[in-house]
Amino acid sequence: MAEPAIPAQPGKSLIAAKNLSKSFGAIDVLKNVSVSIDEGEVVCVVGPSGSGKTTLLRCFALLEQPTGGAVIMRGKTIAASGASTEVRQAAKRVRSDIGMVFQHFNLWPHFTVLQNIIEAPRRVKGIGRAEAEADAVKLLEKVGLADKRNEYPSRLSGGQQQRVAIARALAMRPSVMLFDEATSALDPELKHEVLLVMRDLAAEGMTMLVVTHEMGFARNVGSRVIFMDQGDIVEDSSPTSFFSAPKTDRAQRFLRQLQ
Ligand code: ADP
């Protein structure tokens, strides 16, 4: 049986990084980063290439082990350096509550669209086939691809594959969705259809952390913008103030370079 979803509580911290650091060998990629994401917020992470955006997201997704500090979800530590058994167990409990969409869609090529979506709910949550399929069809309707349910990924455009990847992540009924440059690998005309699906998800109240180069999305859909540079969060503000009056030289330079 699927666990009942925990009702959203707007204004309450859902997931947070506390003094988070991550080094790869001698390279300090995240330097003492602290940020909290409330339920229902859409936080867009922007900044120059190599500033640590993906690494921050991967720490939230429990795909990287912090070298310092912690990731906290609903008040419980779910990742920390030298994680204890208690932390590892907490991580195990929330893993399927954190959905992730990657730049490269990573669909299973030998599975149809429907099989791609039902695989994790069936295997991880033990949901019966009929229920998982009914759920998958609803999710495919949401992303506008119900008619593609029996296709294989190779027969779909990049934009369609990414929409399937979003549906696949949603099938686990996550409380938060993490997007890592979800449109960067797509041709300009295909980005739009994926951004629309993400916008709809935001409008439904999904908590989202979105690493993106799409400044239009950050400005129009984001409830907050985080600007990272050299492993630090340099600005954390509303889209309006970030785009119209960035406070730091570094953010001003970054925005000028985009023009
Ligand atoms: P961004 O998403 O802002 O482009 P990343 O988080 O991808 O930044 O990378 C930040 C820095 O960390 C880069 O210098 C990158 O080369 C380095 N880095 C990321 N992952 C690894 C890894 N697995 N091993 C070594 N260095 C890494």
Side-chain angles (χ1 to χ4, degrees):
M1 275 298 286
E3 284 175 30
I6 299 168
Q9 294 181 283
K12 195 161 182 221
S13 175
L14 177 64
I15 194 163
K18 196 170 168 197
N19 302 118
L20 189 69
S21 298
K22 176 70 187 174
S23 306
F24 293 104
I27 313 169
D28 298 328
V29 176
L30 295 177
K31 302 169 189 164
N32 210 27
V33 168
S34 291
V35 61
S36 175
I37 295 137
D38 286 352
E39 301 207 3
E41 272 195 306
V42 178
V43 177
C44 293
V45 186
V46 305
S49 180
S51 57
K53 305 182 297 294
T54 290
T55 305
L56 176 64
L57 204 78
R58 287 176 60 85
C59 286
F60 278 123
L62 307 176
L63 296 171
E64 300 286 357
Q65 165 102 14
T67 37
V71 177
I72 292 160
M73 188 165 188
R74 294 197 174 94
K76 287 211 171 60
T77 300
I78 58 167
S81 58
S84 63
T85 310
E86 194 186 348
V87 170
R88 281 203 298 274
Q89 281 172 350
K92 209 170 157 195
R93 277 196 296 274
V94 298
R95 200 171 289 277
S96 64
D97 211 15
I98 302 170
M100 174 113 182
V101 177
F102 300 88
Q103 181 176 356
H104 299 287
F105 336 116
N106 307 330
L107 297 175
W108 287 296
H110 55 294
F111 279 0
T112 64
V113 163
L114 198 73
Q115 287 167 339
N116 263 280
I117 297 174
I118 67 171
E119 178 69 8
R122 300 253 304 127
R123 267 183 201 273
V124 179
K125 290 195 162 176
I127 293 175
R129 176 175 292 278
E131 186 184 345
E133 285 189 357
D135 225 31
V137 169
K138 278 193 209 126
L139 289 168
L140 282 171
E141 279 163 5
K142 192 200 267 283
V143 301
L145 291 173
D147 58 330
K148 302 288 185 200
R149 69 187 77 166
N150 295 319
E151 292 286 6
Y152 285 88
S154 60
R155 305 254 309 168
L156 304 181
S157 72
Q160 289 171 333
Q161 289 187 51
Q162 191 59 300
R163 283 147 64 197
V164 173
I166 293 173
R168 181 177 61 174
L170 290 172
M172 292 298 277
R173 299 269 168 255
S175 303
V176 57
M177 285 281 283
L178 311 175
F179 291 87
D180 186 15
E181 296 191 18
T183 59
S184 295
L186 300 174
D187 291 338
E189 69 273 18
L190 301 180
K191 286 182 201 281
H192 186 64
E193 65 191 46
V194 175
L195 291 169
L196 286 179
V197 167
M198 292 168 65
R199 186 199 63 186
D200 290 349
L201 208 53
E204 285 172 15
M206 175 59 81
T207 309
M208 293 163 59
L209 186 62
V210 184
V211 171
T212 188
H213 295 295
E214 298 295 325
M215 296 301 136
F217 182 88
R219 187 194 279 264
N220 298 323
V221 182
S223 40
R224 247 164 85 200
V225 174
I226 286 175
F227 171 68
M228 289 188 72
D229 194 21
Q230 297 180 13
D232 271 332
I233 293 180
V234 179
E235 298 204 21
D236 180 347
S237 54
S238 71
T240 313
S241 50
F242 179 74
F243 287 107
S244 57
K247 291 192 256 328
T248 59
D249 287 348
R250 285 195 272 178
Q252 285 165 15
R253 216 176 313 130
F254 171 74
L255 289 171
R256 259 200 314 275
Q257 277 166 3
L258 296 175
Q259 285 163 6

